Amino acid sequence: DADVTQTPRNRITKTGKRIMLECSQTKGHDRMYWYRQDPGLGLRLIYYSFDVKDINKGEISDGYSVSRQAQAKFSLSLESAIPNQTALYFCATSVGSSYNEQFFGPGTRLTVL
Amino acid sequence: TQLLEQSPQFLSIQEGENLTVYCNSSSVFSSLQWYRQEPGEGPVLLVTVVTGGEVKKLKRLTFQFGDARKDSSLHITAAQTGDTGLYLCAGASGSTLGRLYFGRGTQLTVWP
């Protein structure tokens, strides 16, 4: 069984719709992250959370919001989707060491028409 | 501003050739990691280097951390088609706890 799962794996939606991407983990890690990946741009950090009561903005948080419902669950929302949010979205977890080694989910491919 | 610059961006070689991928920065990192990502999957951690000058070997892959902890390289000996993928370097900084800074990646294609 996968340690970090993401749902849905693929989603096509229309401009202006609200979308939620969900991430669950069974690794018992405190730290969770949301990234987006675009061709040629690498991985860019959207939001991260060190525990249930801690939420931090990453480098590209505008247009996104998150919710840490439990240690194991971290959701990403697009309040009003726009076409330039079309991308691959990855959730990751980390045990919290100084190395911050991260474990990624399989990704969600989101297309906004 | 990209903290970590990877080169080359694309690399296409024949099976059996050797190759080196570079990851450079003007910033000092407390540790540096290499990930490999295959199509349709998330990145998977290959190695973490933490000491300046450190060299780690993982079968045919050799990872090196620069003496000043600002750069790293990944060398693959006798590449195989299974090495095909996107190679990402990522740095951890002591001043921004809990975050990793990723390079844009090197897309490696190994042809039979």
Side-chain angles (χ1 to χ4, degrees):
Chain A
D1 287 342
D3 295 319
V4 184
T5 58
Q6 292 184 235
T7 56
R9 292 295 314 276
N10 289 283
R11 182 73 185 267
I12 299 174
T13 190
K14 294 182 178 179
T15 297
K17 294 290 188 181
R18 184 178 189 274
I19 298 296
M20 179 180 287
L21 309 183
E22 300 189 359
C23 177
S24 294
Q25 54 116 345
T26 59
K27 298 187 76 69
H29 291 169
D30 286 328
R31 297 179 178 179
M32 297 187 74
Y33 304 79
W34 276 105
Y35 294 89
R36 69 176 275 177
Q37 187 176 41
D38 300 273
L41 294 181
L43 286 164
R44 292 184 291 167
L45 183 62
I46 306 172
Y47 271 97
Y48 60 108
S49 168
F50 287 175
D51 63 41
V52 174
K53 296 181 180 179
D54 176 79
I55 301 290
N56 304 282
K57 290 183 177 181
E59 55 188 304
I60 55 163
S61 59
D62 288 349
Y64 302 94
S65 62
V66 291
S67 173
R68 185 83 184 264
Q69 302 95 320
Q71 187 209 34
K73 295 184 182 297
F74 193 34
S75 299
L76 175 72
S77 293
L78 288 67
E79 298 300 326
S80 180
I82 56 177
N84 77 1
Q85 291 177 313
T86 293
L88 264 175
Y89 289 85
F90 288 100
C91 173
T93 71
S94 173
V95 71
S97 74
S98 59
Y99 305 150
N100 208 33
E101 294 164 338
Q102 299 195 359
F103 299 86
F104 286 82
T108 294
R109 182 172 294 279
L110 176 66
T111 302
V112 183
L113 302 176
Chain B
T1 302
Q2 195 75 18
L3 280 183
L4 284 167
E5 297 290 341
Q6 285 189 243
S7 61
Q9 186 177 357
F10 298 96
L11 193 53
S12 182
I13 62 172
Q14 291 289 128
E15 204 167 25
E17 293 182 10
N18 302 332
L19 66 111
T20 302
V21 174
Y22 299 93
C23 177
N24 296 303
S25 178
S26 57
S27 301
V28 175
F29 291 98
S30 57
S31 67
L32 201 137
Q33 299 160 25
W34 286 91
Y35 293 79
R36 183 169 76 196
Q37 183 180 13
E38 300 188 19
E41 300 179 9
V44 175
L45 179 66
L46 294 175
V47 77
T48 300
V49 285
V50 299
T51 305
E54 182 177 2
V55 176
K56 279 191 173 179
K57 292 191 175 183
L58 191 67
K59 297 183 180 179
R60 295 175 293 101
L61 279 60
T62 301
F63 304 86
Q64 187 163 5
F65 201 12
D67 291 341
R69 305 207 317 274
K70 293 182 178 181
D71 53 79
S72 180
S73 64
L74 158 59
H75 182 80
I76 300 180
T77 303
Q80 299 176 357
T81 55
D83 295 327
T84 293
L86 179 67
Y87 289 81
L88 296 158
C89 66
S93 169
S95 62
T96 50
L97 292 176
R99 288 188 59 169
L100 280 183
Y101 295 90
F102 281 86
R104 296 184 179 185
T106 292
Q107 180 63 53
L108 171 65
T109 303
V110 182
W111 301 97

